[in-house]
Amino acid sequence: MTAPIALTCGEPAGIGAEIAPLARKALPDLPFFWIGDPRHLAPGTAYQVITSPAEALAVPPHLLPVLAHDFDGPATPGLARAEHARDVIAVIARAVDLVTRGEAGAICTLPIHKKALKDGAGFGFPGHTEYLAHLAGDVPVVMMLASDTLRVVPATIHVALSEVPRLLTADLLEEVIRLTHAGLIRDFGIAAPRIAVAGLNPHAGEGGAMGTEELTLIAPLVTRLRTEGLNLRGPLSADTMFHARARETFDAAICMYHDQALIPIKTLAFDEGVNVTLGLPFIRTSPDHGTGFDIAGKGIARPDSTVAALAMAARMVAARDK
């Protein structure tokens, strides 16, 4: 990699500041730097302040490269402070600026606390994904949860289950499928992606006996996109899509709602799952967990998902370079 990965600090009161130095120890040869206030790092963290991302490439592997961003005051583990909100947001924007200018090769974001950002800075986005899409020019994006075992994309995400049938339109599902197909090619180096599409209802509707969305919406769309050359299968019964033999037949699964996608990947790869935003002009990954307020500062946070997110970002950089 010619440009290091930018690792944003996320919520200062969470486990991000503990995980960053652990990730450095786990990946001493992967070039990345942490953007945040050094005062928020776990006590005893060995770090070196840098003034530009390029300097991270020369930092010894036992030190965490830190691009300092001053916050208003120290952090208390487990207790979010409203005065930190604007700087948490500013760090994300700074990372986007660096990757857009080519000074960073990708972005990996540590978890934020959305309520703290809303209360402290009037943050008007549901989360990282939507804010990054806005900074990139309000581009359409989808959320993929990925691991070496499984990749899933929910068509609808953080909405009530009762709202899913109304929100699940042919236009939305087509956009999700197309962005996933393009992302598998560009970011994962899969020349001819195989995509499985789940049904919405039990047994994929069972011919209309348990719902008609498969007959009226999902199947016609899958058929039309297959005539364009996309390798799609579905609508499939979600309860038989994720066993080992079934997973061998596809590169990613499109699911109709949040839990349909996240339950299988969190069952199969709870500690190694990575949140990937497809559709951005730059690469963005994130660990698939929250701020961990309940364990922050206790020294028991595990870096596995952040390690996986950084490693996946590096692989995605290589795929785009090809």
XYZ file of all heavy atoms in Angstrom, residues 8 127 148 155 214 217 220 228:
57
model
N -10.501 6.078 12.230
C -11.088 7.165 13.015
C -11.343 6.716 14.444
O -11.604 5.540 14.707
C -12.394 7.663 12.380
O -13.354 6.599 12.351
C -12.146 8.151 10.956
N -26.475 7.193 10.977
C -25.208 6.593 11.373
C -24.086 6.967 10.430
O -24.206 7.857 9.576
N -14.878 -13.894 6.101
C -14.360 -14.928 5.210
C -15.365 -16.048 4.996
O -15.228 -16.852 4.073
C -13.057 -15.505 5.783
C -11.925 -14.498 5.776
O -12.002 -13.530 4.984
O -10.973 -14.659 6.556
N -31.564 -5.277 2.410
C -32.175 -4.265 1.549
C -32.801 -3.142 2.372
O -32.746 -1.973 1.993
C -33.228 -4.907 0.650
N -42.939 -12.249 -3.157
C -42.007 -13.005 -4.008
C -42.525 -13.074 -5.445
O -41.755 -12.933 -6.406
C -41.812 -14.425 -3.465
C -40.999 -14.491 -2.172
C -41.803 -14.100 -0.942
O -43.055 -13.974 -1.040
O -41.193 -13.905 0.119
N -43.003 -9.018 -6.810
C -41.897 -8.058 -6.757
C -40.531 -8.714 -6.972
O -39.809 -8.362 -7.896
C -41.936 -7.326 -5.402
C -41.006 -6.127 -5.183
C -41.560 -5.246 -4.073
C -39.585 -6.540 -4.814
N -39.981 -11.286 -10.400
C -39.890 -10.571 -11.677
C -38.620 -9.739 -11.811
O -38.021 -9.676 -12.892
C -41.133 -9.674 -11.672
C -42.098 -10.371 -10.768
C -41.249 -10.994 -9.700
N -30.000 -9.490 -18.169
C -28.901 -8.557 -18.411
C -27.540 -9.201 -18.159
O -26.509 -8.567 -18.381
C -29.039 -7.327 -17.517
C -30.264 -6.486 -17.791
C -30.285 -5.241 -16.929
O -29.219 -4.880 -16.369
O -31.344 -4.626 -16.799
